[in-house]
mmCIF file of all heavy atoms in Angstrom:
data_model
loop_
_atom_site.group_PDB
_atom_site.id
_atom_site.type_symbol
_atom_site.label_atom_id
_atom_site.label_comp_id
_atom_site.label_asym_id
_atom_site.label_seq_id
_atom_site.Cartn_x
_atom_site.Cartn_y
_atom_site.Cartn_z
ATOM 1 N N LYS A 1 -9.087 -31.014 -45.930
ATOM 2 C CA LYS A 1 -9.724 -32.011 -46.785
ATOM 3 C C LYS A 1 -9.476 -33.420 -46.260
ATOM 4 O O LYS A 1 -10.378 -34.261 -46.218
ATOM 5 C CB LYS A 1 -9.211 -31.880 -48.216
ATOM 6 C CG LYS A 1 -9.660 -30.608 -48.912
ATOM 7 C CD LYS A 1 -9.180 -30.568 -50.339
ATOM 8 C CE LYS A 1 -9.643 -29.293 -51.041
ATOM 9 N NZ LYS A 1 -9.165 -29.233 -52.446
ATOM 10 N N LYS A 2 -8.255 -33.679 -45.864
ATOM 11 C CA LYS A 2 -7.926 -34.998 -45.318
ATOM 12 C C LYS A 2 -8.696 -35.246 -44.036
ATOM 13 O O LYS A 2 -9.172 -36.343 -43.768
ATOM 14 C CB LYS A 2 -6.421 -35.095 -45.054
ATOM 15 C CG LYS A 2 -5.981 -36.437 -44.483
ATOM 16 C CD LYS A 2 -4.487 -36.451 -44.261
ATOM 17 C CE LYS A 2 -4.044 -37.783 -43.647
ATOM 18 N NZ LYS A 2 -2.600 -37.798 -43.365
ATOM 19 N N LEU A 3 -8.839 -34.208 -43.246
ATOM 20 C CA LEU A 3 -9.535 -34.325 -41.962
ATOM 21 C C LEU A 3 -10.976 -34.764 -42.162
ATOM 22 O O LEU A 3 -11.469 -35.643 -41.476
ATOM 23 C CB LEU A 3 -9.499 -32.976 -41.255
ATOM 24 C CG LEU A 3 -9.846 -32.943 -39.779
ATOM 25 C CD1 LEU A 3 -8.805 -33.667 -38.973
ATOM 26 C CD2 LEU A 3 -9.974 -31.518 -39.308
ATOM 27 N N ARG A 4 -11.647 -34.180 -43.145
ATOM 28 C CA ARG A 4 -13.035 -34.543 -43.404
ATOM 29 C C ARG A 4 -13.146 -35.982 -43.871
ATOM 30 O O ARG A 4 -14.156 -36.645 -43.639
ATOM 31 C CB ARG A 4 -13.643 -33.607 -44.435
ATOM 32 C CG ARG A 4 -13.918 -32.227 -43.904
ATOM 33 C CD ARG A 4 -14.880 -31.486 -44.794
ATOM 34 N NE ARG A 4 -15.249 -30.214 -44.189
ATOM 35 C CZ ARG A 4 -16.290 -29.507 -44.583
ATOM 36 N NH1 ARG A 4 -17.068 -29.954 -45.536
ATOM 37 N NH2 ARG A 4 -16.565 -28.359 -44.006
ATOM 38 N N ALA A 5 -12.124 -36.491 -44.553
ATOM 39 C CA ALA A 5 -12.169 -37.849 -45.083
ATOM 40 C C ALA A 5 -11.760 -38.890 -44.052
ATOM 41 O O ALA A 5 -11.962 -40.081 -44.250
ATOM 42 C CB ALA A 5 -11.255 -37.955 -46.302
ATOM 43 N N THR A 6 -11.201 -38.428 -42.928
ATOM 44 C CA THR A 6 -10.720 -39.375 -41.918
ATOM 45 C C THR A 6 -11.244 -38.960 -40.554
ATOM 46 O O THR A 6 -10.583 -38.243 -39.807
ATOM 47 C CB THR A 6 -9.177 -39.404 -41.876
ATOM 48 O OG1 THR A 6 -8.690 -38.065 -41.719
ATOM 49 C CG2 THR A 6 -8.612 -39.968 -43.155
ATOM 50 N N PRO A 7 -12.461 -39.397 -40.212
ATOM 51 C CA PRO A 7 -13.087 -38.969 -38.957
ATOM 52 C C PRO A 7 -12.251 -39.260 -37.721
ATOM 53 O O PRO A 7 -12.394 -38.607 -36.706
ATOM 54 C CB PRO A 7 -14.389 -39.786 -38.940
ATOM 55 C CG PRO A 7 -14.665 -40.102 -40.366
ATOM 56 C CD PRO A 7 -13.323 -40.269 -41.005
ATOM 57 N N GLN A 8 -11.344 -40.247 -37.802
ATOM 58 C CA GLN A 8 -10.574 -40.589 -36.623
ATOM 59 C C GLN A 8 -9.682 -39.443 -36.166
ATOM 60 O O GLN A 8 -9.188 -39.440 -35.048
ATOM 61 C CB GLN A 8 -9.717 -41.840 -36.866
ATOM 62 C CG GLN A 8 -8.621 -41.677 -37.927
ATOM 63 C CD GLN A 8 -9.099 -42.038 -39.310
ATOM 64 O OE1 GLN A 8 -10.301 -42.034 -39.563
ATOM 65 N NE2 GLN A 8 -8.185 -42.358 -40.200
ATOM 66 N N GLN A 9 -9.455 -38.455 -37.028
ATOM 67 C CA GLN A 9 -8.622 -37.333 -36.621
ATOM 68 C C GLN A 9 -9.428 -36.271 -35.876
ATOM 69 O O GLN A 9 -8.861 -35.338 -35.337
ATOM 70 C CB GLN A 9 -7.946 -36.714 -37.844
ATOM 71 C CG GLN A 9 -6.917 -37.657 -38.459
ATOM 72 C CD GLN A 9 -6.042 -36.938 -39.445
ATOM 73 O OE1 GLN A 9 -5.606 -35.819 -39.193
ATOM 74 N NE2 GLN A 9 -5.756 -37.564 -40.560
ATOM 75 N N HIS A 10 -10.735 -36.412 -35.907
ATOM 76 C CA HIS A 10 -11.568 -35.503 -35.126
ATOM 77 C C HIS A 10 -11.575 -35.948 -33.673
ATOM 78 O O HIS A 10 -11.155 -37.054 -33.347
ATOM 79 C CB HIS A 10 -12.998 -35.514 -35.655
ATOM 80 C CG HIS A 10 -13.118 -34.982 -37.038
ATOM 81 N ND1 HIS A 10 -13.055 -33.653 -37.329
ATOM 82 C CD2 HIS A 10 -13.294 -35.611 -38.221
ATOM 83 C CE1 HIS A 10 -13.200 -33.478 -38.626
ATOM 84 N NE2 HIS A 10 -13.339 -34.647 -39.200
ATOM 85 N N ASP A 11 -12.061 -35.110 -32.814
ATOM 86 C CA ASP A 11 -12.236 -35.562 -31.442
ATOM 87 C C ASP A 11 -13.534 -35.019 -30.903
ATOM 88 O O ASP A 11 -13.876 -33.875 -31.165
ATOM 89 C CB ASP A 11 -11.064 -35.134 -30.562
ATOM 90 C CG ASP A 11 -11.102 -33.666 -30.213
ATOM 91 O OD1 ASP A 11 -11.350 -32.841 -31.121
ATOM 92 O OD2 ASP A 11 -10.884 -33.326 -29.053
ATOM 93 N N THR A 12 -14.257 -35.871 -30.212
ATOM 94 C CA THR A 12 -15.456 -35.458 -29.478
ATOM 95 C C THR A 12 -16.650 -35.198 -30.400
ATOM 96 O O THR A 12 -16.508 -34.673 -31.492
ATOM 97 C CB THR A 12 -15.202 -34.166 -28.663
ATOM 98 O OG1 THR A 12 -14.020 -34.312 -27.897
ATOM 99 C CG2 THR A 12 -16.357 -33.861 -27.749
ATOM 100 N N ILE A 13 -17.823 -35.552 -29.906
ATOM 101 C CA ILE A 13 -19.047 -34.985 -30.467
ATOM 102 C C ILE A 13 -19.753 -34.244 -29.354
ATOM 103 O O ILE A 13 -20.014 -34.788 -28.283
ATOM 104 C CB ILE A 13 -19.991 -36.036 -31.092
ATOM 105 C CG1 ILE A 13 -21.304 -35.355 -31.536
ATOM 106 C CG2 ILE A 13 -20.246 -37.211 -30.155
ATOM 107 C CD1 ILE A 13 -22.224 -36.224 -32.356
ATOM 108 N N GLY A 14 -20.013 -32.974 -29.603
ATOM 109 C CA GLY A 14 -20.858 -32.167 -28.727
ATOM 110 C C GLY A 14 -22.137 -31.869 -29.486
ATOM 111 O O GLY A 14 -22.095 -31.568 -30.684
ATOM 112 N N MET A 15 -23.268 -31.972 -28.824
ATOM 113 C CA MET A 15 -24.557 -31.751 -29.481
ATOM 114 C C MET A 15 -25.496 -31.010 -28.542
ATOM 115 O O MET A 15 -25.626 -31.377 -27.374
ATOM 116 C CB MET A 15 -25.180 -33.096 -29.886
ATOM 117 C CG MET A 15 -26.554 -32.978 -30.530
ATOM 118 S SD MET A 15 -27.250 -34.603 -30.983
ATOM 119 C CE MET A 15 -26.266 -34.988 -32.436
ATOM 120 N N VAL A 16 -26.163 -29.960 -29.050
ATOM 121 C CA VAL A 16 -27.155 -29.228 -28.271
ATOM 122 C C VAL A 16 -28.395 -29.056 -29.134
ATOM 123 O O VAL A 16 -28.313 -28.945 -30.367
ATOM 124 C CB VAL A 16 -26.630 -27.866 -27.775
ATOM 125 C CG1 VAL A 16 -25.543 -28.070 -26.730
ATOM 126 C CG2 VAL A 16 -26.085 -27.028 -28.929
ATOM 127 N N ALA A 17 -29.564 -29.045 -28.500
ATOM 128 C CA ALA A 17 -30.809 -29.034 -29.258
ATOM 129 C C ALA A 17 -31.901 -28.258 -28.536
ATOM 130 O O ALA A 17 -31.931 -28.189 -27.309
ATOM 131 C CB ALA A 17 -31.280 -30.467 -29.512
ATOM 132 N N VAL A 18 -32.817 -27.698 -29.336
ATOM 133 C CA VAL A 18 -34.035 -27.061 -28.849
ATOM 134 C C VAL A 18 -35.199 -27.859 -29.413
ATOM 135 O O VAL A 18 -35.251 -28.119 -30.626
ATOM 136 C CB VAL A 18 -34.147 -25.598 -29.312
ATOM 137 C CG1 VAL A 18 -35.388 -24.937 -28.720
ATOM 138 C CG2 VAL A 18 -32.895 -24.812 -28.936
ATOM 139 N N ASP A 19 -36.146 -28.268 -28.563
ATOM 140 C CA ASP A 19 -37.259 -29.078 -29.052
ATOM 141 C C ASP A 19 -38.500 -28.227 -29.348
ATOM 142 O O ASP A 19 -38.474 -26.991 -29.230
ATOM 143 C CB ASP A 19 -37.573 -30.226 -28.087
ATOM 144 C CG ASP A 19 -37.988 -29.767 -26.691
ATOM 145 O OD1 ASP A 19 -38.569 -28.675 -26.553
ATOM 146 O OD2 ASP A 19 -37.731 -30.519 -25.721
ATOM 147 N N ALA A 20 -39.587 -28.892 -29.729
ATOM 148 C CA ALA A 20 -40.800 -28.188 -30.134
ATOM 149 C C ALA A 20 -41.437 -27.406 -28.989
ATOM 150 O O ALA A 20 -42.208 -26.473 -29.217
ATOM 151 C CB ALA A 20 -41.804 -29.182 -30.717
ATOM 152 N N LYS A 21 -41.128 -27.787 -27.746
ATOM 153 C CA LYS A 21 -41.638 -27.065 -26.584
ATOM 154 C C LYS A 21 -40.704 -25.936 -26.165
ATOM 155 O O LYS A 21 -40.894 -25.321 -25.123
ATOM 156 C CB LYS A 21 -41.851 -28.035 -25.422
ATOM 157 C CG LYS A 21 -42.952 -29.054 -25.675
ATOM 158 C CD LYS A 21 -43.166 -29.948 -24.465
ATOM 159 C CE LYS A 21 -44.289 -30.935 -24.700
ATOM 160 N NZ LYS A 21 -44.498 -31.835 -23.531
ATOM 161 N N ASN A 22 -39.681 -25.704 -26.981
ATOM 162 C CA ASN A 22 -38.698 -24.654 -26.733
ATOM 163 C C ASN A 22 -37.825 -24.943 -25.517
ATOM 164 O O ASN A 22 -37.325 -24.033 -24.863
ATOM 165 C CB ASN A 22 -39.372 -23.286 -26.595
ATOM 166 C CG ASN A 22 -38.477 -22.134 -27.045
ATOM 167 O OD1 ASN A 22 -38.474 -21.080 -26.440
ATOM 168 N ND2 ASN A 22 -37.705 -22.346 -28.096
ATOM 169 N N ASN A 23 -37.661 -26.221 -25.206
ATOM 170 C CA ASN A 23 -36.754 -26.640 -24.144
ATOM 171 C C ASN A 23 -35.428 -27.097 -24.747
ATOM 172 O O ASN A 23 -35.379 -27.623 -25.866
ATOM 173 C CB ASN A 23 -37.367 -27.764 -23.315
ATOM 174 C CG ASN A 23 -38.477 -27.271 -22.415
ATOM 175 O OD1 ASN A 23 -38.406 -26.165 -21.877
ATOM 176 N ND2 ASN A 23 -39.526 -28.063 -22.261
ATOM 177 N N ILE A 24 -34.363 -26.911 -23.978
ATOM 178 C CA ILE A 24 -33.002 -27.116 -24.478
ATOM 179 C C ILE A 24 -32.294 -28.198 -23.672
ATOM 180 O O ILE A 24 -32.425 -28.257 -22.447
ATOM 181 C CB ILE A 24 -32.186 -25.813 -24.385
ATOM 182 C CG1 ILE A 24 -32.960 -24.648 -25.025
ATOM 183 C CG2 ILE A 24 -30.832 -25.968 -25.050
ATOM 184 C CD1 ILE A 24 -32.314 -23.282 -24.800
ATOM 185 N N SER A 25 -31.529 -29.050 -24.361
ATOM 186 C CA SER A 25 -30.677 -30.034 -23.697
ATOM 187 C C SER A 25 -29.399 -30.207 -24.508
ATOM 188 O O SER A 25 -29.313 -29.758 -25.659
ATOM 189 C CB SER A 25 -31.387 -31.391 -23.566
ATOM 190 O OG SER A 25 -32.475 -31.318 -22.682
ATOM 191 N N GLY A 26 -28.412 -30.874 -23.910
ATOM 192 C CA GLY A 26 -27.163 -31.106 -24.618
ATOM 193 C C GLY A 26 -26.448 -32.341 -24.112
ATOM 194 O O GLY A 26 -26.734 -32.846 -23.021
ATOM 195 N N ALA A 27 -25.519 -32.842 -24.938
ATOM 196 C CA ALA A 27 -24.696 -33.993 -24.567
ATOM 197 C C ALA A 27 -23.332 -33.844 -25.210
ATOM 198 O O ALA A 27 -23.188 -33.204 -26.257
ATOM 199 C CB ALA A 27 -25.353 -35.301 -25.005
ATOM 200 N N CYS A 28 -22.344 -34.457 -24.583
ATOM 201 C CA CYS A 28 -20.979 -34.422 -25.107
ATOM 202 C C CYS A 28 -20.316 -35.744 -24.749
ATOM 203 O O CYS A 28 -20.436 -36.218 -23.610
ATOM 204 C CB CYS A 28 -20.213 -33.248 -24.497
ATOM 205 S SG CYS A 28 -18.601 -32.939 -25.245
ATOM 206 N N THR A 29 -19.631 -36.368 -25.705
ATOM 207 C CA THR A 29 -19.029 -37.678 -25.429
ATOM 208 C C THR A 29 -17.761 -37.873 -26.247
ATOM 209 O O THR A 29 -17.665 -37.386 -27.379
ATOM 210 C CB THR A 29 -20.056 -38.800 -25.689
ATOM 211 O OG1 THR A 29 -19.567 -40.033 -25.182
ATOM 212 C CG2 THR A 29 -20.391 -38.936 -27.156
ATOM 213 N N THR A 30 -16.787 -38.586 -25.695
ATOM 214 C CA THR A 30 -15.482 -38.727 -26.345
ATOM 215 C C THR A 30 -14.681 -39.870 -25.734
ATOM 216 O O THR A 30 -14.965 -40.311 -24.613
ATOM 217 C CB THR A 30 -14.665 -37.426 -26.188
ATOM 218 O OG1 THR A 30 -13.466 -37.501 -26.943
ATOM 219 C CG2 THR A 30 -14.306 -37.177 -24.733
ATOM 220 N N SER A 31 -13.676 -40.327 -26.466
ATOM 221 C CA SER A 31 -12.669 -41.226 -25.891
ATOM 222 C C SER A 31 -11.402 -40.448 -25.558
ATOM 223 O O SER A 31 -10.408 -41.022 -25.116
ATOM 224 C CB SER A 31 -12.351 -42.380 -26.854
ATOM 225 O OG SER A 31 -11.913 -41.886 -28.110
ATOM 226 N N GLY A 32 -11.435 -39.162 -25.774
ATOM 227 C CA GLY A 32 -10.328 -38.303 -25.353
ATOM 228 C C GLY A 32 -9.148 -38.320 -26.308
ATOM 229 O O GLY A 32 -9.170 -38.951 -27.363
#
């Protein structure tokens, strides 16, 4: 519960997606 309320304790955002043409891409970024 505390973790959800304090984003600074998370690390990294990874994101992957499929578009309308059924093509896939992804990105990942962090300060480590």
Side-chain angles (χ1 to χ4, degrees):
K1 291 183 179 179
K2 180 180 178 183
L3 195 67
R4 287 197 174 196
T6 53
Q8 65 270 21
Q9 292 193 43
H10 295 284
D11 75 315
T12 310
I13 175 171
M15 178 180 285
V16 292
V18 183
D19 61 30
K21 294 183 178 179
N22 210 219
N23 287 324
I24 309 172
S25 293
C28 189
T29 191
T30 187
S31 57

